Amino acid sequence: MAQSGEREKVVRDVQIPEAITVGELANRMAERVADVIKALMRMGVMATQNQTIDADTAELIVTEFGHRVVRVSDADVEHAIDTVPDRPEDLRPRPPIVTIMGHVDHGKTSLLDAIRKTNVAEGEAGGITQHIGAYQVTTESGAVLTFLDTPGHAAFTAMRARGAQVTDIVVLVVAADDSVMPQTVEAINHAKAAGVPLIVAINKIDKPDADPQRVRTELLQHEVVVEKLSGDVQDVEVSAKTGQGLDDLLEAIALQAEILELKANPARAAMGAVIEAKLDVGRGPVATVLVQNGTLRKGDVFVVGEKWGKVRALISDRGETVTEAGPSVPVEVLGLNGTPEAGDVLHVVETEAQAREIAAYRENLAREKRAAAGATATLEQLMARAKADKAVAELPVVVKADVQGSAEAIVQALEKVGNEEVRVRVLHSGVGAITESDVGLAEASKAPVIGFNVRANAPARAAANQKGVEIRYYSIIYDLIDDIKAAASGLLKDEVREKFIGYAKILEVFKVSNVGKVAGCLVTEGVARKSAGVRLLRDNVVVHEGTLKTLQRFKDPVQEVQSGQECGMAFDNYDDIRQGDVIEIFERETVERRL
Ligand code: GDP
């Protein structure tokens, strides 16, 4: 199990002001300056130790080195957050945080349910756990494990992107009757990118056509070598249906966790990540927070993303009110002033004033950023944009996804589709099944509804049928984006290109009754064609553009005259032609464009 080596690195909260020198950035990450300069070079930035880089570049570097970014600015209000590193003697072991990933229908949800059920003693708290986005179980040998029960790869990456690395171990579920599929590979890549060790759960082993060996060999192609093939990745055969192998899987996780030597300091101000948040009708804003360090207690004052609050109540995954939650414990937190977003990081601070100040500062920053990005602006700006927008064709869409992270990722990707002529407009994006109201909204704007890992409920399906609203389902983001791109390309106006086909010179001008002036020409280059467009050039200046009324050879109308031949030409609605003028003959072709 060589995986432990990769994880010895300490993940730091690295404060990044608006500008920072390369040397100071290296210092704050406790990385070698040379490594930072190398990483910058890989990004195409040439900078020496004393050179200043901007916050965005610094953030990329910090993320690349696997640390957490904490943006600060001249308003150093954020300093109220305690970021002092823990002393080794204060650290205590903490449970691992486990995320289950894998291809759709391979049994992620079933496995999470089965694990949860086997571990809740009957009678205890009614034997029911409530869904808060994560839960804890105890293995037979007494190890405590924390499971995130929001499977979904996009959520995993989106949380990571927001600076909340909340997974220590990934359980990769592969169905024994289906083997390695695209999202299996995606999951492997996500885990690798995050530097998180894998455990392979070969599921559906109860099925007659189960072929666990095939799973093992196919994983080899993706550099996952399981123990049964003498590799260092644990693999366990399980059945979410019969419960077979579940205990082995839990022990495998516990073993992997021991190797990782996960530690935290329960005696400091709490810090954690939001894994779910919602506005509850009865209880107000509620966030499920996974405590990552310190201990969160009732009465604690905290800031979380752009929101703040004071812990009014903490509720465990068993639905019980608790007074505190230590490292790796998921709890529902009540007492927020608004709903934060999944991936937001919670920090306990000392006073309400500090919390309010930091939240206000962050909100301001976010607003400025949005304004800069053009999301909201002054009235003049809006009007100017509305004017400019007239030329822009829009493809409206409604997006529903299984989790907040996916929805965000899709919206971001869709907003990038387009150019100055067409763009995708996301009318609404949200989490959960496609409802009648989504269909109504889509109908109003003649938009399709896109479901990512979600389906329309029955009334919505009926409404869509009746109103002729298109609903499209996807489970792979790239497919979704490709389709939308193709649809948006359909909105592009065809490009009209001109092709010169010939030149003619006017040798003489005749007046013909009933026709008007006719030019006696010599085609000097290419061909003259009756159907083509013509321009009259006098001393290389265009004096007229139009079409031909007649094209004749001798007295006969013709369609085409070749170079070197003489012909007669008369223009539609134009008479001012003179000897010596040159006629340029061109055709237009339309070319379909793609984004
Ligand atoms: P997810 O999309 O990965 O969350 O997969 P689900 O948990 O929804 O499972 C997909 C389907 O596989 C469901 O119909 C489950 O009942 C079935 N399933 C899951 N695990 C097992 C298993 O161990 N054995 C059998 N026979 N079926 C399973």
Side-chain angles (χ1 to χ4, degrees), residues 180-224:
V180 175
M181 298 301 279
Q183 283 162 283
T184 316
V185 180
E186 206 177 279
I188 294 171
N189 293 336
H190 282 310
K192 274 193 191 148
V196 174
L198 277 179
I199 293 175
V200 178
I202 304 176
N203 191 33
K204 307 198 187 183
I205 202 74
D206 59 289
K207 285 199 155 183
D209 52 348
D211 186 354
Q213 203 53 29
R214 178 167 158 227
V215 174
R216 293 188 188 99
T217 32
E218 286 193 9
L219 282 172
L220 282 176
Q221 286 172 23
H222 305 282
E223 289 157 43
V224 175

Side-chain angles (χ1 to χ4, degrees), residues 31-47:
E31 302 283 358
R32 289 176 27 201
V33 177
D35 291 341
V36 176
I37 291 176
K38 259 187 239 152
L40 280 165
M41 271 164 73
R42 278 198 298 276
M43 287 165 39
V45 179
M46 300 295 163

Side-chain angles (χ1 to χ4, degrees), residues 312-459:
R312 197 170 73 224
L314 294 172
I315 296 156
S316 77
D317 55 345
R318 314 245 150 141
E320 293 159 343
T321 306
V322 292
T323 51
E324 58 173 49
S328 298
V329 177
V331 271
E332 271 193 331
V333 177
L334 274 63
L336 291 134
N337 80 326
T339 316
E341 289 183 45
D344 277 346
V345 177
L346 174 144
H347 286 280
V348 167
V349 293
E350 274 173 23
T351 66
E352 278 192 29
Q354 285 171 338
R356 212 177 292 132
E357 207 179 13
I358 298 172
Y361 162 68
R362 288 180 180 170
E363 206 184 327
N364 221 357
L365 210 64
R367 196 180 307 127
E368 274 170 21
K369 215 166 152 192
R370 278 193 291 270
T376 54
T378 63
L379 200 58
E380 287 100 289
Q381 281 171 314
L382 281 176
M383 279 160 65
R385 196 174 322 127
K387 221 181 210 169
D389 276 359
K390 290 224 178 84
V392 180
E394 277 186 345
L395 177 74
V397 292
V398 173
V399 177
K400 291 304 280 283
D402 50 348
V403 290
Q404 181 72 23
S406 313
E408 274 175 26
I410 291 164
V411 170
Q412 271 172 21
L414 288 180
E415 278 170 353
K416 285 196 201 117
V417 172
N419 56 18
E420 64 282 355
E421 286 176 55
V422 287
R423 67 164 170 243
V424 176
R425 193 154 81 91
V426 179
L427 298 172
H428 168 69
S429 72
V431 174
I434 296 166
T435 62
E436 257 185 294
S437 99
D438 296 326
V439 173
L441 176 66
E443 186 207 8
S445 309
K446 303 198 176 9
V449 183
I450 294 169
F452 183 78
N453 284 337
V454 294
R455 297 289 177 262
N457 61 24

Side-chain angles (χ1 to χ4, degrees), residues 102-111 151 173 203-207 238-242:
H103 196 72
V104 63
D105 278 348
H106 279 197
K108 296 181 291 292
T109 319
S110 308
L111 202 58
V173 180
N203 191 33
K204 307 198 187 183
I205 202 74
D206 59 289
K207 285 199 155 183
V238 297
S239 164
K241 193 175 171 192
T242 65

Side-chain angles (χ1 to χ4, degrees), residues 38-351:
K38 259 187 239 152
L40 280 165
M41 271 164 73
R42 278 198 298 276
M43 287 165 39
V45 179
M46 300 295 163
T48 60
Q49 174 163 1
N50 296 323
Q51 232 158 330
T52 307
I53 53 174
D54 63 23
D56 287 337
T57 313
E59 182 164 340
L60 287 174
I61 294 291
V62 172
T63 322
E64 184 166 333
F65 279 90
H67 297 295
R68 266 187 296 265
V69 175
V70 181
R71 286 270 191 127
V72 298
S73 79
D74 34 12
D76 269 341
V77 289
E78 302 253 1
H79 282 327
I81 293 169
D82 176 14
T83 48
V84 181
D86 293 306
R87 290 176 307 176
E89 61 266 35
D90 294 333
L91 295 175
R92 302 282 174 276
R94 66 167 175 87
I97 298 163
V98 186
T99 298
I100 296 195
M101 302 214 266
H103 196 72
V104 63
D105 278 348
H106 279 197
K108 296 181 291 292
T109 319
S110 308
L111 202 58
L112 279 162
D113 286 346
I115 292 170
R116 176 154 44 184
K117 275 192 207 111
T118 54
N119 272 269
V120 179
E122 274 167 55
E124 183 191 334
I128 309 161
T129 54
Q130 63 169 45
H131 173 88
I132 65 166
Y135 62 83
Q136 287 197 311
V137 297
T138 310
T139 68
E140 267 175 11
S141 62
V144 177
L145 315 175
T146 305
F147 283 88
L148 288 187
D149 70 355
T150 44
H153 303 168
F156 180 81
T157 346
M159 298 259 281
R160 228 157 60 77
R162 282 173 171 253
Q165 165 105 315
V166 284
T167 299
D168 300 307
I169 297 169
V170 165
V171 170
L172 178 67
V173 180
V174 191
D177 61 341
D178 202 22
S179 200
V180 175
M181 298 301 279
Q183 283 162 283
T184 316
V185 180
E186 206 177 279
I188 294 171
N189 293 336
H190 282 310
K192 274 193 191 148
V196 174
L198 277 179
I199 293 175
V200 178
I202 304 176
N203 191 33
K204 307 198 187 183
I205 202 74
D206 59 289
K207 285 199 155 183
D209 52 348
D211 186 354
Q213 203 53 29
R214 178 167 158 227
V215 174
R216 293 188 188 99
T217 32
E218 286 193 9
L219 282 172
L220 282 176
Q221 286 172 23
H222 305 282
E223 289 157 43
V224 175
V225 189
V226 298
E227 283 183 339
K228 292 231 171 48
L229 300 179
S230 313
D232 57 5
V233 177
Q234 298 191 75
D235 58 314
V236 186
E237 293 179 11
V238 297
S239 164
K241 193 175 171 192
T242 65
Q244 181 192 335
L246 289 189
D247 287 335
D248 297 337
L249 176 62
L250 296 184
E251 294 306 340
I253 297 169
L255 179 61
Q256 180 70 61
E258 252 173 60
I259 296 161
L260 294 177
E261 292 186 20
L262 303 165
K263 289 195 170 132
N265 174 9
R268 68 177 290 160
M271 177 248 154
V274 174
I275 47 180
E276 274 190 13
K278 62 184 177 205
L279 186 61
D280 196 298
V281 184
R283 303 183 295 169
V286 182
T288 298
V289 173
L290 190 62
V291 178
Q292 292 177 288
N293 204 2
T295 300
L296 185 62
R297 296 191 174 81
K298 197 179 161 182
D300 276 351
V301 174
F302 61 85
V303 52
V304 52
E306 296 164 37
K307 307 288 185 281
W308 70 279
K310 183 171 179 169
V311 179
R312 197 170 73 224
L314 294 172
I315 296 156
S316 77
D317 55 345
R318 314 245 150 141
E320 293 159 343
T321 306
V322 292
T323 51
E324 58 173 49
S328 298
V329 177
V331 271
E332 271 193 331
V333 177
L334 274 63
L336 291 134
N337 80 326
T339 316
E341 289 183 45
D344 277 346
V345 177
L346 174 144
H347 286 280
V348 167
V349 293
E350 274 173 23
T351 66

